[in-house]
Amino acid sequence: MKQPLEDLLRSTLKNLAGELFPATALPSGALLERSRDPAHGDFASHVALTLAKSAGKNPRALAQTIVAALPQSALVAKVEIAGPGFINFFLSASAYHAELQRILQSGANYGRNHLGEGQTVGVEFVSANPTGPLHVGHGRNAAIGDCLSRLLAAAGWKVQREFYYNDAGVQINNLALSVQARVRGLAPGDSGWPEDGYRGDYILDVARAYLAGESVTVQGHSVSGARNPDDLDAIRAFAVTYLRREQDLDLQAFDVHFDVYFLESSLYTDGKVDETVRQLVAHGHTYEQDGALWLRSTDFGDDKDRVMRKSDGSYTYFVPDVAYHLCKWQRGYHKAITVLGSDHHGSLARVRAGLQALDCGIPAGYPDYMLYQMVTVMRAGTEVKISKRAGDYVTLRDLIDEVGRDATRYFLVARKGDSQLTFDIDLARSRSNENPVYYIQYAHARIASVFRQLAEKGLTWDADNGQRNLARLTESHEQALMVNLSRFPELVELAARNLEPHLIAHYLRELANDFHTYYDAHTFIVEDAALRDARLTLVGATRQVLQNGLRLLGVSAPESM
């Protein structure tokens, strides 16, 4: 509903431009915002205050001129000027009735927009090292990344979900040594156990599978246990494949899927790291000092220059990151987003600096990052820290097994990513109004029960009759519900634009509250067929928006609870 009203206002301003103010003074951004207080209308604009100086007029006087120039519209019931020059728009009842019709006609597509205009966006998330089961922090990453991908797809982007495997380096070597120790019969704490070895029971599972000669397949790649305790390379290859499969199973249980699996090792085997370094040198953005190769990253906004190749000939960790994101750009990702833990914040500037130093047309600020804080898991008021299987952390599978996939997904995405998150297991398991995911799903189940009761009474919902009689929806609860339903497309666009999927979670809880309040205050299946069909039209539209919103979060919409 916001867009046609904004178009009306912008068209009016363009007609006034030149006569009252320069056309160049017209704001390019949004002209309207939702009013917080219904007494101030549905939408408000401060455009008169913005243009007053260039128009050489008092803001309130300019607002009066703008309002007088507005053409008649079925959308608008009245326009008022408030304070120093705010323009408040009150929408007509018919505008909200038309929006209910649009919800029902659009169905699952209601709320979708064209923000991405068919461009490709790569969303990289989870990207856990294949050294153990996914922990709850990975779970928050997965929930944010998957919901963000769903949002961007709803905003018209062609989304590629990508998992980047760090399958090389010190941690992978520690994994191999840990499995080798288990293969040889050692346990954590025994003499000869690796100093930085992994201690969880899952290491013993990997060792047993290796000794049994089991075959493991992941993403079309198969490895069999060689049974040889001395072949560290064979143990490494088996352990990585085994744990990649385990992580895949965790993600499948979480309803998270990927389009691309990218191995860090391929950047080296395909020569992409060496080629990236050669390009940086060729463009003159590097220098030699103390036997090391440095990137002059301060030229591109970094706080200091960075070592690329150490004096021993090895690359620092940000160099393959630059090569990897160059690869994303070359693969046609107009936009690239990486979901990362907040502890990785320091690497952002140097990766972006490296990409700019390549002078290959990559826009400044590429890639985008979405940072998130870690998660504290609580049960009965006490922090839960240890999983028997993992040894020293709570796994994602632990949470799914405890509270279910829906609650796990909702709770992990319900707060803004850069805020601390406490996951209360007791709350997530409760069937009460205090549990937000239960509260939202229960609203959908209640609506389904209304239509079941209708059928049990031998009645049907005449949607056309309902549309003709929407003027009967005069109760305050009905008005509030219609207003909130109409906000959904704006919230989807805002959440996609700002990379904030938690906005959808908050919105759904507010919508569920409006519905439950309405349900408790009024009877829907009444004798008056016109009123009944009108109310069922409102209820049916609410069901559709709840479904659409829950789908964006990857949460189910149950028919009964």
Side-chain angles (χ1 to χ4, degrees):
M1 296 178 70
K2 180 181 178 182
Q3 193 58 52
L5 185 60
E6 180 137 349
D7 292 343
L8 182 74
L9 178 58
R10 191 173 296 278
S11 175
T12 301
L13 293 172
K14 285 182 178 179
N15 290 336
L16 294 173
E19 176 187 347
L20 289 178
F21 46 80
T24 54
L26 279 173
S28 57
L31 300 176
L32 295 168
E33 59 184 22
R34 284 272 179 179
S35 301
R36 295 183 179 180
D37 185 349
H40 299 155
D42 296 283
F43 291 95
S45 176
H46 55 77
V47 69
L49 285 78
T50 303
L51 291 173
K53 183 176 181 181
S54 58
K57 296 187 71 170
N58 173 280
R60 190 174 177 91
L62 179 58
Q64 290 170 340
T65 302
I66 294 171
V67 170
L70 285 169
Q72 291 291 318
S73 171
L75 278 174
V76 183
K78 64 177 178 177
V79 184
E80 292 182 349
I81 298 170
F86 292 103
I87 303 174
N88 295 336
F89 293 85
F90 295 77
L91 298 188
S92 65
S94 63
Y96 284 108
H97 299 163
E99 193 69 8
L100 290 183
Q101 185 173 14
R102 189 160 81 94
I103 293 171
L104 295 172
Q105 288 178 341
S106 300
N109 289 322
Y110 183 72
R112 298 181 69 87
N113 60 76
H114 303 288
L115 182 66
E117 297 180 350
Q119 298 181 83
T120 299
V121 57
V123 183
E124 180 205 335
F125 59 107
V126 183
S127 296
N129 295 333
T131 54
L134 298 178
H135 56 61
V136 64
H138 295 134
R140 190 177 194 189
N141 189 318
I144 290 172
D146 187 60
C147 293
L148 185 59
S149 298
R150 292 167 184 256
L151 266 174
L152 292 168
W157 290 90
K158 297 177 181 176
V159 179
Q160 289 288 294
R161 294 166 168 85
E162 186 151 327
F163 193 121
Y164 179 65
Y165 277 115
N166 181 347
D167 61 338
V170 174
Q171 291 177 313
I172 298 298
N173 197 53
N174 287 338
L175 170 67
L177 291 173
S178 303
V179 175
Q180 184 180 52
R182 282 291 198 179
V183 166
R184 289 173 170 171
L186 299 178
D190 289 351
S191 175
W193 183 262
E195 182 178 353
D196 295 317
Y198 294 94
R199 296 170 172 266
D201 286 354
Y202 69 93
I203 295 294
L204 182 57
D205 295 337
V206 178
R208 286 171 175 166
Y210 175 81
L211 286 172
E214 290 184 15
S215 293
V216 182
T217 301
V218 60
Q219 290 114 44
H221 174 68
S222 295
V223 175
S224 297
R227 298 188 175 94
N228 184 351
D230 299 321
D231 191 340
L232 189 61
D233 288 339
I235 292 173
R236 181 185 295 107
F238 182 83
V240 167
T241 306
Y242 184 101
L243 290 171
R244 282 178 63 190
R245 184 190 66 179
E246 291 298 297
Q247 291 182 352
D248 274 4
L249 292 173
D250 288 346
L251 291 168
Q252 287 172 27
F254 206 38
D255 194 23
V256 172
H257 308 277
F258 290 87
D259 304 299
V260 178
Y261 292 90
F262 196 101
L263 300 180
E264 181 190 9
S265 58
S266 71
L267 294 170
Y268 296 94
T269 58
D270 295 345
K272 293 184 182 298
V273 173
D274 289 337
E275 177 59 26
T276 299
V277 172
R278 282 195 294 271
Q279 290 296 322
L280 289 169
V281 172
H283 284 91
H285 296 300
T286 63
Y287 60 91
E288 297 272 356
Q289 181 177 305
D290 300 327
L293 179 67
W294 293 68
L295 175 67
R296 197 174 284 107
S297 55
T298 50
D299 291 350
F300 302 95
D302 200 0
D303 58 347
K304 62 181 180 180
D305 292 344
R306 304 291 176 174
V307 174
M308 295 173 54
R309 187 175 59 226
K310 293 180 284 188
S311 57
D312 64 4
S314 64
Y315 293 121
T316 54
Y317 70 90
F318 91 94
V319 177
D321 283 349
V322 175
Y324 174 48
H325 284 91
L326 171 61
C327 179
K328 288 183 179 181
W329 176 255
Q330 293 169 337
R331 282 185 279 142
Y333 291 2
H334 303 99
K335 184 180 185 71
I337 302 167
T338 304
V339 183
L340 281 174
S342 57
D343 55 328
H344 292 278
H345 181 270
S347 66
L348 309 187
R350 66 199 72 168
V351 171
R352 286 172 171 166
L355 292 170
Q356 291 304 296
L358 287 166
D359 294 331
C360 62
I362 297 177
Y366 187 99
D368 288 312
Y369 290 93
M370 186 172 176
L371 301 177
Y372 68 94
Q373 297 281 350
M374 299 305 286
V375 183
T376 301
V377 181
M378 305 288 289
R379 183 194 283 114
T382 302
E383 182 178 354
V384 179
K385 293 183 177 181
I386 296 175
S387 163
K388 182 176 186 297
R389 181 164 177 258
D392 57 357
Y393 59 82
V394 178
T395 70
L396 174 60
R397 186 65 67 87
D398 291 333
L399 277 187
I400 295 172
D401 291 345
E402 279 268 357
V403 304
R405 184 181 71 198
D406 286 344
T408 303
R409 287 187 67 113
Y410 183 92
F411 273 69
L412 290 177
V413 80
R415 296 199 66 188
K416 191 173 182 180
D418 60 5
S419 62
Q420 293 285 340
L421 176 63
T422 298
F423 193 111
D424 187 332
I425 288 178
D426 298 319
L427 177 60
R429 292 184 63 181
S430 69
R431 295 173 65 85
S432 70
N433 292 345
E434 285 70 39
N435 178 352
V437 67
Y438 174 85
Y439 190 62
I440 296 164
Q441 289 180 315
Y442 185 44
H444 186 270
R446 266 185 155 179
I447 293 172
S449 74
V450 168
F451 285 97
R452 285 197 298 271
Q453 291 170 33
L454 185 72
E456 289 166 3
K457 293 177 182 291
L459 299 172
T460 58
W461 166 35
D462 185 335
D464 291 336
N465 189 46
Q467 289 287 343
R468 289 192 298 270
N469 288 283
L470 292 176
R472 299 287 300 276
L473 301 178
T474 57
E475 301 288 348
S476 60
H477 299 110
E478 293 164 340
Q479 300 294 315
L481 190 52
M482 282 190 284
V483 169
N484 214 353
L485 288 171
S486 73
R487 292 176 56 229
F488 182 63
E490 298 163 37
L491 261 293
V492 173
E493 181 171 343
L494 181 65
R497 189 185 298 277
N498 295 345
L499 310 184
E500 294 182 332
H502 72 281
L503 294 178
I504 303 300
H506 291 180
Y507 168 81
L508 288 174
R509 188 170 188 178
E510 293 173 4
L511 181 61
N513 181 69
D514 283 348
F515 172 75
H516 286 304
T517 303
Y518 181 35
Y519 182 96
D520 292 340
H522 299 280
T523 301
F524 303 150
I525 306 176
V526 294
E527 290 294 327
D528 184 336
L531 180 59
R532 180 176 70 239
D533 286 334
R535 286 181 172 173
L536 291 175
T537 296
L538 177 56
V539 170
T542 304
R543 173 175 59 182
Q544 186 65 66
V545 174
L546 285 170
Q547 288 175 1
N548 294 0
L550 287 169
R551 188 180 301 111
L552 290 175
L553 301 184
V555 175
S556 68
E559 295 289 310
S560 61
M561 294 180 69

